DNA sequence: TCCCACACA
DNA sequence: GGTGTGTGGGA
């Protein structure tokens, strides 16, 4: 499956095939029709404070941390305020600047954080608290999910049976203020609703046939910022399905941004493109509060204008190394370097990854991740501290901080708990120590403190402890609690039956089990449960790839009828029973599923994964071995899907 | 498993 | 720069 070729048919056809269209449906990362969005909150911490304080948007505001700025809103930027100037400089540049210090914990006040007028003076007894921003981040994520679930909701087209958006959308929380969304399944659905001509011709023998050309000759891009087409392209050319898909994606993102603004008063910027790398570059192009579309026909010129050090993963040492090796930072110049030449200075893996990435080829998955994997509480000391006593005071605060966040995460209800606690120490050298958190104990603040203290003694015993310039405590290796495992097992009873079902028709009760009438707080927790169940499904044992192996079990192909007389059909491959009118769509789903698996296999061959640190010569050490250890095998990349109702 | 380096916001 | 997150390698 190489680049789509121009048709020589006298009847004008699309550059794209039915196979590529179907690829949209279940996460093929190879299809050129894929639509990925990157959404980025504008000056996030500053907006949080503006919302909290009710500050008008035109008022310049910056978030302060000790004597530095950590966020500057857009109203303050014309004054020359940046994150790299100090408070005095900021006041000089903009006397009316609202300077809000971050919330802090304070020595002797336990886990209670607060916004305090004097925290900037208390760098020696206060510790920064980012909880308010985490809380806002969660609300925004929830709003985004809800908006995605309701987009196009009342537009059922010809299918009156699906009142809700039962489409699975991959949503990756990339940081506290950024998400990636794989809009492909939603776009697919909308394409079929709006262009009935796409519904035909999905039979197996036709899948490499070209699609018909879209019926429109000019797309209405509304208020989107469009990246200019490559020089060899022209706007006079009729749009193809990739352009139409982007336009639909753009509608969805506008809907999502509108919801975030109307419900929570946050503005965000977004990028839309064929993959994560380009979408991310795109979202930064027009800030604040705008969305940018990078069409496939615009990618080459768009990327050519960048330094490759601005591309994800190339911002650090690897980027520096490449710059030194080839004497340029420009993508446009690196394009002239052949793969063979890249290989002379980079290991095989990195070379082929780089070769693809600067040509816009990024097949990385939108990896549905909402669960926290670790929690860290840290403090830098200026000046350094030099005694156990001082260190212990900070351990108290760290323990209180982390405990509070664990409660949010559900330790009290035994939903999740960390298994490991780690103390990092930076003095003349940098060192860290970790120990297991005993599973027998109930986790509370004192337990965390005692464990931290044990670690501190170990670090001190190692010597060279003082002076210490940085200390941090973290918990990690979260495991699901007993009560939650029950929930999973309960689900799996149904899940086993449902395993091979289309994800667009999951059993009702698994959806409604997450309830719609709970307070926000509870509801969020339950949502995480849903995500975890899906991660369980992502376990190789239950993965798509093994699914097709089940065809041999219990098949009774037949049409039967329900009491109400609507004829029913039972699928040969997965035993699902459904109304007969859903048969075609269901067959189509299996077809798409097979294609997705096939695509993934192809992608594994053709798309190098991102480079790793010391990819010394053919290492690839971990290749196959990981399965045996520790029960929790790593989920296959890209098989996790977050379904939300 | 433990510890470290790296990348990013 | 400070405070968090996440990933992966090597011993």
């Amino acid at each position: 499956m190489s680049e789509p070729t121009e048709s020589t048919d006298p009847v004008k056809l699309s550059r794209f095939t039915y196979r590529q269209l179907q690829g949209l449906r279940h996460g093929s990362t190879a299809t050129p029709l894929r639509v990925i969005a990157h959404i980025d909150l504008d000056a996030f911490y500053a907006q949080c404070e503006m919302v909290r304080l009710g500050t008008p948007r035109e008022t310049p505001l910056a978030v302060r941390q000790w004597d530095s700025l950590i966020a500057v809103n857009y109203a303050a930027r014309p004054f020359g305020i940046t994150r790299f100037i100090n408070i005095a400089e900021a006041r000089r540049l903009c006397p009316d600047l609202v300077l809000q210090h971050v919330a802090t914990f304070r020595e002797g006040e336990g886990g209670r954080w607060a916004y305090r007028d004097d925290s900037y003076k208390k760098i020696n007894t206060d510790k920064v608290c980012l909880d308010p921003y985490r809380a806002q981040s969660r609300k925004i994520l929830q709003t985004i999910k809800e908006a995605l679930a309701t987009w196009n909701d009342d537009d059922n087209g010809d299918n009156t049976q699906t009142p809700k958006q039962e489409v699975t959308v991959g949503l990756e929380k990339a940081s506290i203020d950024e998400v990636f969304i794989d809009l492909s399944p939603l776009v697919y659905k909308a394409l079929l609703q709006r262009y009935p001509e796409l519904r035909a011709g999905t039979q197996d023998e036709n899948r490499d046939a070209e699609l018909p050309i879209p019926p429109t000759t000019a797309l209405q891009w509304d208020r989107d910022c469009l990246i200019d087409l490559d020089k060899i392209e022209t706007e006079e050319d009729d749009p193809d399905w990739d352009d139409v898909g982007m336009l639909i994606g753009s509608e969805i993102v506008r809907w999502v941004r509108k919801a975030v603004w109307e419900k929570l008063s946050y503005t965000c910027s977004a990028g839309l493109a064929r993959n994560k790398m380009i979408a991310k570059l795109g979202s930064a192009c027009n800030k604040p509060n705008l969305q940018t579309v990078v069409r496939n026909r615009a990618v080459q010129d768009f990327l050519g204008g960048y330094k490759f050090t601005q591309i994800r993963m190339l911002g650090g040492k690897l980027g520096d190394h490449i710059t030194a090796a080839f004497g340029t930072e420009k993508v446009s110049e690196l394009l002239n370097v052949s793969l063979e030449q890249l290989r002379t200075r980079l290991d095989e893996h990195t070379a082929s990854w780089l070769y693809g990435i600067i040509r816009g080829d990024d097949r990385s998955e939108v990896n549905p991740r909402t669960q926290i994997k670790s929690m860290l509480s840290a403090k830098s000391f200026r000046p350094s501290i030099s005694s156990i006593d001082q260190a212990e005071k900070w351990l108290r605060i760290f323990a209180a901080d982390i405990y509070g966040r664990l409660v949010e995460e559900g330790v009290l209800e035994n939903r999740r708990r960390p298994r490991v606690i780690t103390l990092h120490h930076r003095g003349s050298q940098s060192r860290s120590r970790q120990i297991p958190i005993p599973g027998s104990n109930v986790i509370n603040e004192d337990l965390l403190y005692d464990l931290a203290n044990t670690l501190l003694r170990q670090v001190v015993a190692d010597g060279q402890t003082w002076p210490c310039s940085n200390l941090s405590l973290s918990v990690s290796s979260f495991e699901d609690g007993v009560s939650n495992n029950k929930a999973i097992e309960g689900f799996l009873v149904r899940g086993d039956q449902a395993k091979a079902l289309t994800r667009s028709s999951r059993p009702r009760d698994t959806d409604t089990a997450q309830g719609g009438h709970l307070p926000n707080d509870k509801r969020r927790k339950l949502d995480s449960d849903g995500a975890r169940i899906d991660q369980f499904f992502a376990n190789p044992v239950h993965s798509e790839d093994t699914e097709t192996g089940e065809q041999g079990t219990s098949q009774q192909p037949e049409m039967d009828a329900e009491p109400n007389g609507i004829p029913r059909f039972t699928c040969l491959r997965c035993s699902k029973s459904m109304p007969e009118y859903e048969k075609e769509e269901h067959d189509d789903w299996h077809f798409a599923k097979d294609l997705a698996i096939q695509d993934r296999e192809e992608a594994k061959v053709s798309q190098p994964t991102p480079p790793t640190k010391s990819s010394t010569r053919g290492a690839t050490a971990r290749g196959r071995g990981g399965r045996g250890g520790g029960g929790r095998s790593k989920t296959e990349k890209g098989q996790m899907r977050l379904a939300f109702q």
Side-chain angles (χ1 to χ4, degrees), chain A residues 495-503 505 547-557 569-578 583 586-587 589-590 593:
Chain A
D496 273 329
Q497 303 155 356
K499 186 164 29 174
L501 295 184
T502 112
R503 290 203 168 88
S505 58
E547 230 168 61
T548 48
E550 297 171 19
Q551 294 167 35
T553 58
S554 82
Q555 262 75 10
Q556 282 148 2
F569 160 77
T570 304
C571 175
L572 266 171
R573 293 187 62 178
C574 67
S575 306
K576 190 200 171 190
S577 170
M578 67 203 78
K583 174 182 182 303
H586 182 79
D587 287 345
W589 176 80
H590 272 300
K593 196 83 171 172

Side-chain angles (χ1 to χ4, degrees), chain A residues 8-24:
Chain A
T8 52
D9 205 294
V11 179
K12 179 85 170 145
L13 290 172
S14 168
R15 292 152 60 224
F16 304 105
T17 63
Y18 284 91
R19 177 202 291 274
Q20 290 169 330
L21 176 64
Q22 291 298 326
L24 281 184

Side-chain angles (χ1 to χ4, degrees), chain A residues 296-310:
Chain A
N296 287 343
R297 289 184 294 155
V299 164
Q300 281 314 314
D301 284 2
F302 175 69
L303 279 180
Y306 279 90
K307 294 177 178 173
F308 57 75
T309 48
Q310 291 172 257

Side-chain angles (χ1 to χ4, degrees), chain A residues 417-444:
Chain A
R417 71 183 265 151
R419 285 183 300 184
V420 175
I421 183 166
T422 309
L423 185 73
H424 287 256
H425 164 280
R426 198 153 68 224
S428 50
Q429 307 135 358
S430 170
R431 253 179 294 128
S432 74
R433 287 298 200 123
Q434 61 182 316
I435 47 174
I437 298 171
S440 48
N441 301 51
V442 171
I443 295 183
N444 58 33

Side-chain angles (χ1 to χ4, degrees), chain A residues 206-419:
Chain A
N206 278 348
R207 66 189 194 204
D208 284 317
E210 283 92 356
L211 297 163
I213 198 78
T216 31
T217 55
L219 298 178
Q220 189 60 49
W221 286 98
D222 210 14
R223 290 144 296 171
D224 292 325
C225 302
L226 278 185
I227 297 296
D228 286 342
L229 294 179
D230 295 339
K231 287 177 210 71
I232 58 168
E233 303 280 349
T234 152
E235 295 285 356
E236 312 326 313
D237 287 343
D238 288 344
D240 207 333
W241 292 111
D242 56 345
D243 300 311
V244 179
M246 282 299 153
L247 181 64
I248 294 170
S250 180
E251 269 179 44
I252 301 170
V253 168
R254 193 181 311 291
W255 169 263
V256 167
R257 290 176 50 236
K258 181 167 177 274
V260 172
W261 169 249
E262 288 179 353
K263 297 188 180 185
L264 303 172
S265 305
Y266 286 87
T267 67
C268 54
S269 303
L272 280 122
R274 180 179 64 205
N275 59 47
K276 284 166 74 173
M277 186 256 311
I278 303 171
K280 163 123 191 166
L281 291 174
S283 69
C285 285
N286 293 287
K287 280 185 140 291
N289 202 19
L290 289 167
Q291 60 190 64
T292 303
V293 177
V294 189
R295 291 165 292 179
N296 287 343
R297 289 184 294 155
V299 164
Q300 281 314 314
D301 284 2
F302 175 69
L303 279 180
Y306 279 90
K307 294 177 178 173
F308 57 75
T309 48
Q310 291 172 257
I311 293 174
R312 235 160 46 111
M313 322 250 26
L314 294 174
K317 297 196 169 186
L318 176 60
D320 291 345
H321 173 72
I322 295 167
T323 304
F326 301 100
T328 180
E329 286 196 293
K330 293 185 185 156
V331 169
S332 53
E333 291 181 15
L334 204 58
L335 284 171
N336 299 322
V337 181
S338 71
L339 182 55
E340 287 66 35
Q341 287 171 298
L342 291 180
R343 282 206 266 253
T344 62
R345 304 296 301 272
L346 300 167
D347 71 82
E348 178 104 15
H349 189 78
T350 307
S352 36
W353 174 80
L354 178 63
Y355 185 85
I357 212 80
I358 61 177
R359 285 164 176 77
D361 188 14
D362 168 22
R363 295 186 197 171
S364 58
E365 296 275 347
V366 171
N367 189 348
R369 198 167 22 82
T370 22
Q371 303 256 65
I372 292 277
K373 292 193 174 166
S374 67
M375 285 178 193
L376 175 140
S377 188
K379 176 78 180 174
S380 291
F381 306 117
R382 290 181 352 209
S384 296
I385 59 169
S386 320
S387 75
I388 286 242
D389 272 9
Q390 285 174 296
E392 282 180 350
K393 291 211 170 73
W394 289 107
L395 294 188
R396 270 276 167 228
I397 292 182
F398 295 163
D401 177 9
I402 288 174
Y403 179 68
R405 286 153 64 184
L406 285 174
V407 170
E408 281 281 296
E409 195 68 18
V411 268
L412 293 185
E413 302 94 320
N414 204 20
R415 278 188 351 93
R416 305 186 77 207
R417 71 183 265 151
R419 285 183 300 184

